[in-house]
Amino acid sequence: KYVDELPANHKLKGLKVWPVTEIVTYGFDPADAPLEKTGTHLSPVEFHKAMMNQNSIMIDVRNFNETLIGKFAPPTHSTSEEI
């Protein structure tokens, strides 16, 4: 095992596991977002093609920790009326 050669102070002292309703908490009732109501899966090529459409809207649904990894460049227009 990977941990066999570790000193005792580097090993886990214990492990607790418990069931959760969601891994990442978004702060709303899961019943308000049923899994049956999904969008259409797009391949990377389809996604980039769809984003070229002026009527496309992108919503960033990453959690806080994921947003720390990277940011999207803001649009060059300032209001929806300019689209």
Side-chain angles (χ1 to χ4, degrees), residues 28-34:
F28 58 82
D29 185 345
D32 293 334

Side-chain angles (χ1 to χ4, degrees), residues 11-78:
K11 294 181 183 180
L12 288 174
K13 293 179 176 54
L15 179 65
K16 294 181 181 181
V17 179
W18 58 90
V20 295
T21 56
E22 57 185 344
I23 295 172
V24 177
T25 302
Y26 289 103
F28 58 82
D29 185 345
D32 293 334
L35 294 176
E36 302 81 44
K37 291 187 175 184
T38 63
T40 303
H41 178 77
L42 300 175
S43 71
V45 171
E46 293 168 324
F47 174 81
H48 287 282
K49 184 177 177 183
M51 290 310 301
M52 298 304 290
N53 181 337
Q54 287 186 327
N55 294 323
S56 291
I57 298 172
M58 179 184 282
I59 301 172
D60 185 357
V61 295
R62 298 175 299 161
N63 66 38
F64 176 74
N65 292 327
E66 292 168 330
T67 63
L68 295 176
I69 295 170
K71 305 281 184 204
F72 289 100
T76 56
H77 54 278
S78 60

